[in-house]
Amino acid sequence: MYRDLEGYYRQQPEPPPRKPEYRQLSEREQKVLIWVLAINAVLALVAPIGGATVISAVLALFHG
């Protein structure tokens, strides 16, 4: 239907950009990261229980 006289559609696409290289964490940074994740996991399990306890205590105070 259309004539490609200038070769526009025969051009090769540009290669995708390369991913930037990220630095590796040092051994100390890895240990700190593991501790932070472990503390967050424990708090994720304990905090709802603590929150439910506080709410039930407040309700008990108002109920009489």
Side-chain angles (χ1 to χ4, degrees):
M1 185 168 177
Y2 295 105
R3 291 181 56 188
D4 185 17
L5 296 177
E6 296 177 18
Y8 179 79
Y9 293 105
R10 282 181 261 149
Q11 294 175 355
Q12 294 294 325
E14 292 184 22
R18 291 189 339 198
K19 285 187 174 180
E21 293 184 20
Y22 297 105
R23 70 177 187 87
Q24 295 291 321
L25 294 176
S26 69
E27 194 169 325
R28 182 171 187 259
E29 290 172 330
Q30 289 177 4
K31 286 181 183 178
V32 169
L33 182 62
I34 290 172
W35 273 104
V36 167
L37 291 175
I39 290 171
N40 280 334
V42 169
L43 289 177
L45 296 174
V46 173
I49 297 169
T53 305
V54 169
I55 291 171
S56 64
V58 170
L59 289 176
L61 283 175
F62 287 124
H63 248 190

